Amino acid sequence: MRVSFNGSNYNYIFAFFFGLFTLSIFLNLNHEIYLPIGSNLSDYSGDGAKNLYTFAYYLKYDVGVQFTGLFYPFGDLVTYMDAQPFWVWVIKAIEKVFHFHIENPIIYIHLILLFNLWICSVFLFLILHYYSKNYFFTALGTFIIVFLSPQIFRFSSHYSLGSMGIIPFFWWWYIHLPNKKIFIYILWTLALTLIGFIHPYLLLMMVFLFLSYELIYSAINKKINWLKIASSSISVFLFQFILKFFDKVQDRPINVWGSKEYTTKIDDILLPLSGGLKTIALKIFPNLSTNYSEGHGYISIFGIFVLIILIAKGLIAIMNKQFRIKIEANSIEHWTLATIPVLLFAFFIPFKWEFMDWALEIITPLKQFRGTGRFVFVFYYVFLIFTFVYLSRLYKNAPKKMSFILIIGTIITLFDIYNNHQKQIQSFHDYGKYNAYNYFKSNTQELFSKVDNINDYQCIVPYPPSTEGTEIMWLEADWKAKINYYWFSYFNRLPLATLHSSRASFSNTMEIVQLSGYNSSPKPILKYFKKGKKCLLIAESEYSNENIPIFNNAELLNSIDGLNLYSIDIQNLQSTSTLEKNNDWIDTSHYTIIGQNNFDNLKEKYLLFDNLKEKKNIFKLSIPQHEGKTELRILFWYIPNYSIDPAIPIIEVYKIEEGQETFLKDWREAHTQTYNYRGDWFCVDYTFIIDENINNILFKAYSKGIVMDDLTIYQRRK
């Protein structure tokens, strides 16, 4: 099976055409999704729709590093939008040089993904042959590594992480970096920095690998390659500096949700998503997942075979007291060892264990990784390159035995590849859309046909609002409205006054949410809207009878397929009396207001409860002079975080005497309790009976994920 040619140029030629061969096989298998290019959308239901929208809107309308399509009127840095700015810049440059423009953004998404698959094949081929010197194992390994790659599953929605050519390309480049050519290292640093503008995780996982490699190199050679360490490290600092320099947001969340949840698990590496091996494993461990996860990186039956051999040889060597590790610098063993720290981080070890929470409080940037399992990409590519290099060595020593193993392993792997393909097709059938661009363009034209002049409007306000990306609380947009208003925004060049990103400003998000609040809700955001221009309101028809100001001030323009389009002068939502909000609950002939806190005096314009242990003073009150017991009624308006229990604020009442606080009663001792809601805003209505000798009281509250909008205290009239 050994074939060899003289001359390194042959390797590039073979890699080029083998990449085309791999790409043609992929298109043949997945022609239903990707052919004709740009026709179908593999996932229009969630992240796929959002990530296409941000890419398309940024490509068509934006310049620089600010994204204006979401989070109106504030906007945000494009790096937090999964808009792949690097690829957008490349496309704009190509369009400008060759004087053309493609209107359908799905075409560009498909071309980027397919180009990356070809690049991945080319450079995996080159790396494999560099270490194995065997074209058969190079071709077999490249084919398997590409088609089992966890990044292929990102083709359906998380397109930036689907840039699977990036890791092999930069790995190949790093192998061939010269020792002392400063210009090349400057170019390397700049190129690596730009990768952060495809997705920051790609930059971080590669730098992690290269620094780990250099650490082992210094241990082997007893010297440090400062030029390589500096050039890779600087790329991260340079990327961070660019973000900080252009970032206008001051309150990005630090504690990003998901660092411990979206990690790699052992079955992600040792088991395929389906097939015979997975079926056997499910009988033993029935709770194993059968869906693609953030940490998936199955190393194939060949990888498992090599892993078993290595473990067996290691145990035998230990028992014989002959265990030793001898690694040559720049060998594939060197690279494989360098991926171990990266793999541990993919598992989020040791930080996933509770007893290590103290370390997370010290190393706070670690809490900002939502999906550390993604770092398994690096381990997957390096370990499988090592696997096929190791198999080529075994074959050289035992060709007959290895021929049988190769045949059986290839058959099993082809089934794994086919099963992965079937999962992708099934996902397309479940979440994809045929002829997506034309379908949504037609929908947009139909719904907006009653809009006389689109230039009279400044933005689209979706209802209910979304807080996806605050990392603090989760208000979910309605699915049907969500998958359509992306396209409405794109085709009409109207930004969206809602949020779908990551690490967004929570205070700015709450200002957007307050647009759908009550008249007494503070709305400082209105000063940023353009006076003289209206807004369009999008909502599903089921909300048409909501008795809240945003609908009461809107005019219905059109309705199709369960979606309503309204026109609204957003300035009509200015704050007015609290009584207007409470008149459904409070009979003002029997009650009078004695205290109010609508939190508009707070810098953040809201009060957030972070945890159940934290009690916050929400109102201090002097009760007007009264004889005997008096009845106080509390109306507490808030937004709950539905993903967290309890979603109801816990209120406690304290009396204050001579500066001392004494607990009186809590919500469980309230005379009456009722709960009501309108839209996303909830109201708890508590009645407390206060003794005659108490004049000064303090209200405290505790909960988790609650954002307070207004607290009003009434006293029953005598």
Side-chain angles (χ1 to χ4, degrees), residues 429-458:
H429 291 162
D430 292 340
Y431 307 112
K433 193 75 176 177
Y434 292 102
N435 198 22
Y437 180 81
N438 292 328
Y439 172 82
F440 286 107
K441 187 174 184 179
S442 175
N443 274 8
T444 302
Q445 290 171 343
E446 184 178 356
L447 184 63
F448 281 70
S449 62
K450 300 294 178 66
V451 178
D452 292 332
N453 185 356
I454 200 69
N455 293 321
D456 291 339
Y457 297 91
Q458 58 183 306

Side-chain angles (χ1 to χ4, degrees), residues 19-30:
L20 293 179
F21 168 74
T22 306
L23 179 59
S24 65
I25 297 296
F26 177 82
L27 285 173
N28 184 265
L29 283 172
N30 297 281

Side-chain angles (χ1 to χ4, degrees), residues 89-257:
W89 301 336
V90 170
I91 290 168
K92 285 185 174 182
I94 293 173
E95 286 185 341
K96 188 172 183 179
V97 170
F98 294 100
H99 306 288
F100 76 96
H101 175 69
I102 296 174
E103 185 65 26
N104 181 356
I106 305 176
I107 293 176
Y108 280 130
I109 288 289
H110 284 178
L111 288 175
I112 290 169
L113 295 174
L114 297 175
F115 173 72
N116 268 280
L117 188 139
W118 176 72
I119 287 291
C120 182
S121 302
V122 168
F123 286 97
L124 285 178
F125 188 98
L126 292 171
I127 295 168
L128 244 173
H129 189 265
Y130 178 81
Y131 286 112
S132 72
K133 304 297 189 291
N134 186 302
Y135 279 106
F136 171 78
F137 284 96
T138 296
L140 177 66
T142 300
F143 186 87
I144 290 172
I145 296 170
V146 168
F147 278 93
L148 288 183
S149 171
Q151 288 186 272
I152 279 186
F153 285 94
R154 300 294 182 162
F155 280 24
S156 64
S157 59
H158 213 148
Y159 311 116
S160 55
L161 288 174
S163 292
M164 60 189 294
I166 299 301
I167 295 173
F169 171 75
F170 276 88
W171 183 14
W172 173 252
W173 189 358
Y174 196 88
I175 290 171
H176 292 84
L177 274 176
N179 288 329
K180 294 183 179 180
K181 291 189 177 180
I182 300 299
F183 173 75
I184 298 297
Y185 279 93
I186 293 174
L187 183 63
W188 161 265
T189 300
L190 294 176
L192 202 54
T193 303
L194 286 173
I195 297 309
F197 292 96
I198 297 177
H199 198 290
Y201 275 38
L202 292 175
L203 167 63
L204 293 172
M205 65 180 68
M206 286 191 298
V207 170
F208 195 166
L209 172 66
F210 299 145
L211 293 181
S212 177
Y213 174 89
E214 290 303 327
L215 180 65
I216 297 168
Y217 176 88
S218 63
I220 294 172
N221 293 326
K222 310 302 181 186
K223 63 179 182 180
I224 300 174
N225 194 330
W226 289 111
L227 193 56
K228 284 189 173 182
I229 291 174
S231 60
S232 296
S233 302
I234 289 171
S235 65
V236 175
F237 290 109
L238 182 58
F239 177 72
Q240 286 285 359
F241 173 78
I242 293 170
L243 295 190
K244 290 290 185 182
F245 183 81
F246 289 102
D247 197 359
K248 301 175 183 177
V249 175
Q250 302 298 318
D251 63 338
R252 292 200 185 277
I254 296 175
N255 300 327
V256 178
W257 186 83

